[in-house]
Amino acid sequence: MADGRGRYIMLVSVHGRVRGSEMELGADPDTGGQITYVVELARALIEDPEIDRVDLVTRRLIDSKVDSSYAEPVEELAPGVNIVRIECGPKRYLAKESLWPHLDSFTDNLLRYLRDQGRVPDLIHGHYADAGYVAGRMSSLLGIPMAFTGHSLGRVKRQRLLDQGMAEEAIEKRYRITRRIDAEEYALDNASFVVTSTNQEVEEQYALYDNYQPKRMTVIPPAVDLSRFTPPPRSWRNLPKIHKAITPFLEDWARPMILAVSRPDPRKNITALVKAYAKNEELRDIANLVIVAGNRTDINQLDRSAREVINEIIYNVDLYNLYGQVAYPKDHESSDVPHLYQLAAKTKGVFVNPALTEPFGLTLLEAAASGLPIVATSDGGPRDIVAYCKNGVLIDPLDTKAMGVALLDAVSNQGQWKKWSRSGLRGAHRHYSWSAHVKNYVKKVNTAIRSADRKRRPLRSSARLVTANRIVVCDIDNTLIGDKSGLRELIRRLKDVGSKVAFGIATGRSLDLTLSVLKEWKIPTPQLLITSVGSAIHYGAPLIEDRGFEQHIRYRWRPDRIREAMSELPGLKPQGSEGQTEYKISFNLIKEKAPTAAEVTRHLRRNRLQANVIASHGAYLDILPIRASKGMALRYFAMNWGVEPDRCLVAGDSGNDEEMLTGNTLGVVVGNHDPELEKLRGEPHIYFAEQNYAWGIIEGIEHYDFFGKIRLHEPEFVNAESDKPEPVNSA
Ligand code: GLC
Ligand code: MG
């Protein structure tokens, strides 16, 4: 609470149709549960007395095919809570798979929004891979803590699709799964904490990630609306109407009721439950079994799997002579469900979920909120529920004998029943309500904010780089230098245009090597010097170092451990001392033997190390702090000096220039560029010059009319390859 105000939380959820009312859930695969969740979370957060402002940031849609409400830049959800819509890429609606090339621009536009309103969030929270990427960038640029919720994960999805027999290439083309997984890994690089729904999600899903660090993960169970579920009243004036649907099956309905409620799906394992009951004489003597498995008019009209489930119930009832003991009502309405739990609780029965797998288990919570103890399959959701609520036992869904024993114990031990009933009721509300969710969440937020660097930099929009309102930033080797006449012409033009245009360089060289090459080529000292691949910033002729930036990039930087981990890899020869600084570890690559940058990143992550690994010219490999790169340093500068990224013309030729070329900056790739930059061709705001070296920069300046009105040639970026909305299943 730096300024005596409350906390300001920013939630980011980029894709889908996000609005506060009449949510169009299911309108397309990207508008689903996540949207409801983030909107409700935003609303719930403001209830916390420490939080005075919440922004839910999403993409602005200007498209006649979707409602005009999605074009509103700001929508108030409640006092202090707003949906903020940020433009990126084309105006029209895009499927989430097509958003990747536009996320850097989303980030730049979001920074502009912050600058305009002059307040920086205390924490930024990205939801899903796309927003995780944006939040990671924002966190890196602003030095604020970040949270991440995956919602669903790319590696899990890829595995599932492969298991289903889909080809690697098809998965890639349809879902851009590599981009997604990279974004998730990047989010994990930066996140102070990761929110998951269950422990199993941590152990089985996040464990697939290179960046698996369970300590940073926190299980905050999702909130469920339990307001419809309460324990039964002392007595009913009239028994609830669902009672009538059950009693015809039963000899004595008042015996403890073993209740199962699920879809008629073989994975719900109902047959095993019937057998468990049938084979336990004692259980049959004292308890009834009630199975509510969907609705039916004519069994023969059900789809095959549902038909099989129902037929098996009937078959087993007959086989084991369970008449008078097992009910399987034909119809029920959703409003009957709360009464089912109440009836079961009234008879001192138990709720059972014998499913083969259960990632969450909503019905178990509904039962708990009705004061009904549970017997549930030992899987992700139920494990957490039983641990939090202490309201029952877990069973192996394949062991019918043990299932029978557990059920018998649950309905025959009165003292235990009361304890389970009471603690389930308390636990469900305590752990699974919105207020509980928010309480746990805010606790994490506060810890993250406290442990984050307290010395946050205010946005000094007043401290402009004196008179300039735009800047040309050039890489040195093979961009600025290489052609003497082009360089002389460029220097002359920069001099002529006067003080409204500043000049900067961004280079892989150390400051010393930079100064000597500037001298050698008779280049006047630039106003901005970004050196060592964006791990140091200096200003002007007195070479004032930006200490704030140094502070900023220290985050998660562990050079000794990185050097150690790197020594395990083949094909890398450490550069001499001129290539090494406190924040840059550099190697020369031995062709054929060296790993790729992606492989190195992976290796580091698996050693619990986060770094930005950048390869250039297929010959160099630089390892930098995650908050350092030419692009990051440039944006740090731009933000502090109040220069918009789209007032920065950047020129480069090789891999370490990539991050400053993407996004809203006006990129120029010189004609003599390394093939590794070819992949940027067609990306927004990246101009590929015909001419080489400084002549290419001049060509780029003219292309954008950068010294004049500034002209963008592709306001509506269309990249035929990546921009095609494709019909896809949801996450
Ligand atoms: C410059 C630096 C070197 C770095 C390379 C690529 O040549 O001197 O250390 O590896 O740029 O960024
Ligand atoms: Mg270069």
Side-chain angles (χ1 to χ4, degrees), residues 249 270-272 274-275 278-279 284 289 291 296 299 306-323 326 328:
F249 289 94
I270 297 170
T271 309
V274 179
K275 288 187 179 155
K279 290 180 178 165
R284 286 174 59 166
L289 177 61
I291 299 166
R296 55 189 179 267
I299 293 178
R307 189 167 67 227
E308 273 172 20
V309 170
I310 304 294
N311 282 340
E312 284 212 36
I313 296 173
I314 297 171
Y315 171 79
N316 283 301
V317 166
D318 191 77
L319 179 69
Y320 294 102
N321 268 313
L322 301 175
Y323 293 103
V326 179
Y328 38 96

Side-chain angles (χ1 to χ4, degrees), residues 508-510 513 533 575 579 584 586-587 616 620-622 656:
R509 292 169 176 253
S510 64
L513 288 179
V533 202
Q575 293 180 7
K584 171 173 168 283
S586 291
F587 299 88
S616 300
Y620 307 112
L621 190 86
D622 303 312
N656 71 14

Side-chain angles (χ1 to χ4, degrees), residues 320 369 383 410 417 506:
Y320 294 102
R383 264 181 231 151
W417 192 95

